[in-house]
Amino acid sequence: MRLQVLGIGRLKAGPEKLLAEDYQTRLEGLGRKAGITRVTVTDFAESQAQTAGLRQDEESKLLMAALAPKAQALVLDERGQSLASEDFSRLLQRHLDQGTQDLAFLIGGPDGHAAETRKRPHQLISFGPMTWPHRLVRVMLFEQIYRAVTIMVNHPYHRP
């Protein structure tokens, strides 16, 4: 399975970028054992439109256009379902077992995702009810994907 991380807001040089890259590198190494063949990250600049709704719509179009054909998308949104790490691991394993070829994680901009993005037949996932900046969400996402893979392959990183 190939993973895409599509995010609004570019990650600038700094500790968040280094940490995200570290977890991505770990994921790419261990992920092959679990069946994850590739991890790609695509960043988009935040929209400069005048209103939040217009910004959300512009950003949604960018994210949707970047999705791999037939990709299943998991939208990160505070309205989504909060999952324990073990449940998140089972979700990824289910996608692998069902033969999902491309799984995409969508990170919205400062105004969040457009209603259209949230209405699509994707699963909404939350890192809790708090609002997180995209720089931290990227790190948290890569850490949780890496943790999920360690659970799948019985690596000692995850200690319940």
Side-chain angles (χ1 to χ4, degrees):
M1 180 169 67
R2 296 176 294 263
L3 299 182
Q4 283 184 289
V5 175
L6 306 173
I8 302 299
R10 300 195 191 280
L11 213 55
K12 297 179 178 103
E16 296 92 350
K17 184 172 185 171
L18 291 173
L19 195 52
E21 289 171 346
D22 178 54
Y23 280 116
Q24 181 180 352
T25 300
R26 291 184 196 195
L27 169 62
E28 289 168 345
L30 193 59
R32 286 187 275 287
K33 288 183 180 179
I36 296 170
T37 58
R38 187 175 64 196
V39 180
T40 59
V41 178
T42 307
D43 294 332
F44 300 97
E46 294 173 17
S47 168
Q48 299 301 308
Q50 295 296 314
T51 67
L54 290 174
R55 288 189 295 273
Q56 288 174 330
D57 289 343
E58 282 183 13
E59 292 167 355
S60 177
K61 288 176 185 165
L62 291 171
L63 293 172
M64 293 300 120
L67 280 175
K70 299 183 184 179
Q72 297 289 315
L74 301 176
V75 179
L76 298 167
D77 187 276
E78 72 246 12
R79 298 168 198 85
Q81 179 183 14
S82 277
L83 299 172
S85 295
E86 292 86 354
D87 294 328
F88 185 66
S89 180
R90 282 190 284 275
L91 172 67
L92 292 183
Q93 186 65 58
R94 241 186 345 268
H95 277 284
L96 283 162
D97 293 346
Q98 293 170 356
T100 300
Q101 291 184 4
D102 292 286
L103 185 63
F105 295 89
L106 279 56
I107 301 171
D111 299 303
H113 288 287
E116 184 65 27
T117 303
R118 293 190 316 271
K119 279 194 290 188
R120 292 178 57 99
H122 304 281
Q123 183 166 355
L124 293 178
I125 294 178
S126 172
F127 285 144
M130 294 180 176
T131 301
W132 297 97
H134 71 89
R135 298 180 316 174
L136 292 180
V137 168
R138 183 83 49 91
V139 173
M140 292 164 45
L141 175 61
F142 273 119
E143 192 281 336
Q144 283 300 300
I145 298 171
Y146 175 69
R147 182 177 296 275
V149 168
T150 66
I151 292 168
M152 286 185 237
V153 300
N154 294 313
H155 184 280
Y157 177 81
H158 178 72
R159 294 176 186 93

